[in-house]
Amino acid sequence: MFFGKKNKNSTNVADSLKNEQAKSDIILASIDDGVVLLDATGVIRLFNPAAENITGWSAKDAIGLDHQSVLKFINGKGEAYAPIQNPLNKTLQNKTPSRDSQSSLKTNSERIIPIAISVSPLGQDIGQAGGVVAVFRDVTTERQHEKQSAEFISTASHEMRTPVAAIEGYLALALNEKVATVDAKAREYLVKAHLSTVHLGNLFQDLLTASKSEDGRLSNHPVVIDMGEFLQQITSDIKFTAEKKGLTLEFLIGGGDKSVSASDGNQRVIRPLFYVNADPERLREIVTNLFDNAVKYSEKGRITVGLTGNDSVVQFRISDTGQGIPSTDIAHLFQKFYRVDNSATRVIGGTGLGLFICKKIVELYGGRIWVDSKLGEGSTFFINLPRISSADKSNLEQQMASTINPSEPTQTVDTPRGVIQ
Ligand code: ADP
């Protein structure tokens, strides 16, 4: 009787397990997305039919192989991912979910397919501790749409910039007392029209820059820049904008100042030279964007432009004593068109593209941008860029000189004014 009962229970469990397995198989076979399961060593243990369709590998061949021999990731430039960039490796190592929507996969027949992938660690409870599950799909159509819409935005903003510049110019002429006479009421309307046209012109310019920064068309002619001198120059150009609003502007250069004995016996301070290799126009864009924001979003107090660094990094920052940014908005700040929604930003004009453009430019040079902010107290935007040593500066400048005019002997490079450790 006991055995009979036990046998009946075991059969039920076995049946229900079989049923569960059959259900999972049906679900995995019907899903349109590729599903791949890896064990803790990165070996493929499950490969559903959609994964077979996308990759061109059969489950029979893929199962038992290391994931990197089957799922070959390619970046936007067509280069293979380094193992550390691979989202599956990231989750295997860190046991935290990872996503990638910018990569492509090289199929078994060497075709490149744009994909979006999300990888999650497997929990202990399903007996696969350390393994991961990846879900991915072919996003060829989405990427084509994105490309078309980016091209449309880029062409439209390019075409509209010219007539908008003409309107802005004529409105400025109409407001110029030397060339036109208008009554007070008309002047008031013209001033408003002029302001809106300037805003429209900025919007088109930002749209154009943003779309170029996304598809790699942003012009980039890097040269070695002494950030101290560069920031000092920009600071003196923009000082007026801050002072007009009653804000003080200060420039702090620091981090590793050295006191040395000069030949006259006096102590002199030698400031470290913070060199970076970047296009000055692009850097100017970043600094003016951050500075304009600091002015726009501060009613009183001080704006500080700071520069510091270590052996490998140059860090500059722009701080303000303005309204600050709510912590819930910080994670989204560098997204396209994102603006903090509050009464102040509704009045203060903006496109929500400035910080997105800054991030794209900083990333172009292998750097990082982030913000620290306290609501009601102010914000500091930090930028880290790779630092160029004096020796690398000379090498880069010699390379550049020989590229510009290979037949002429290379120029002697200026003796650096400071010391880099
Ligand atoms: P916008 O054209 O709206 O200024 P940005 O991309 O430059 O666009 O900035 C995005 C949003 O970030 C802004 O709308 C604003 O809400 C917030 N923000 C940026 N800089 C500051 C700052 N210095 N202080 C407070 N808020 C800021």
Side-chain angles (χ1 to χ4, degrees), residues 206 289-290 292-298 318 320 322-326 333-335 337-342 345 348-358 371 373 378-381:
D206 279 358
N289 251 328
L290 297 180
D292 286 348
N293 279 349
V295 174
K296 254 189 342 187
Y297 301 108
S298 304
I318 298 190
D320 62 62
Q323 55 182 253
I325 301 160
L333 227 49
F334 297 94
Q335 288 165 4
F337 299 115
Y338 193 85
R339 303 199 72 213
V340 176
D341 186 20
N342 60 26
T345 45
I348 302 168
T351 61
L353 286 169
L355 291 179
F356 172 78
I357 294 171
C358 288
V371 62
S373 187
S379 315
T380 302
F381 285 83

Side-chain angles (χ1 to χ4, degrees), residues 20-234:
E20 287 305 313
Q21 175 71 41
K23 265 194 237 162
S24 308
D25 287 349
I26 291 170
I27 293 169
L28 285 170
S30 339
I31 296 178
D32 235 11
D33 291 354
V35 180
V36 175
L37 190 88
L38 309 184
D39 66 19
T41 63
V43 169
I44 299 176
R45 294 294 169 203
L46 182 151
F47 207 74
N48 80 337
E52 291 183 310
N53 281 341
I54 299 171
T55 63
W57 282 78
S58 68
K60 188 165 61 68
D61 290 341
I63 290 173
L65 293 181
D66 182 89
H67 69 96
Q68 287 168 118
S69 345
V70 176
L71 301 172
K72 295 176 183 153
F73 286 87
I74 307 284
N75 67 19
K77 294 182 194 152
E79 300 155 347
Y81 267 27
I84 195 164
Q85 295 172 304
N86 186 312
L88 294 150
N89 284 341
K90 282 188 197 163
T91 303
L92 277 168
Q93 273 164 22
N94 307 335
K95 315 223 172 348
T96 52
S98 53
R99 284 172 188 278
D100 189 332
S101 54
Q102 298 305 318
S103 59
S104 299
L105 274 186
K106 194 188 252 184
T107 68
N108 202 5
S109 56
E110 307 268 296
R111 249 180 356 117
I112 307 290
I113 304 218
I115 57 141
I117 185 163
S118 111
V119 190
S120 311
L122 287 174
Q124 308 265 358
D125 49 334
I126 43 175
Q128 289 282 352
V132 304
V133 62
V135 180
F136 58 98
R137 65 196 164 85
D138 180 344
V139 290
T140 307
T141 320
E142 280 107 311
R143 294 255 179 102
Q144 274 164 354
H145 288 162
E146 275 169 23
K147 193 161 172 262
Q148 279 166 357
S149 83
E151 274 167 10
F152 172 75
I153 290 175
S154 172
T155 315
S157 27
H158 185 76
E159 292 303 319
M160 286 191 245
R161 248 179 358 152
T162 317
V164 168
I167 299 169
E168 190 192 323
Y170 282 118
L171 287 171
L173 278 177
L175 285 165
N176 184 339
E177 282 167 7
K178 289 193 190 126
V179 290
T181 317
V182 285
D183 64 30
K185 201 76 205 158
R187 172 169 293 276
E188 191 190 312
Y189 297 148
L190 285 173
V191 166
K192 284 183 179 155
H194 187 246
L195 276 177
S196 296
T197 318
V198 169
H199 176 68
L200 199 59
N202 289 341
L203 175 62
F204 288 143
Q205 183 57 52
D206 279 358
L207 277 173
L208 193 60
T209 314
S211 73
K212 281 185 179 174
S213 72
E214 276 181 299
D215 59 20
R217 283 181 303 123
L218 211 54
S219 86
N220 178 28
H221 305 287
V223 291
V224 179
I225 299 172
D226 167 4
M227 275 312 280
E229 198 177 290
F230 183 78
L231 285 176
Q232 199 142 29
Q233 175 61 48
I234 298 192

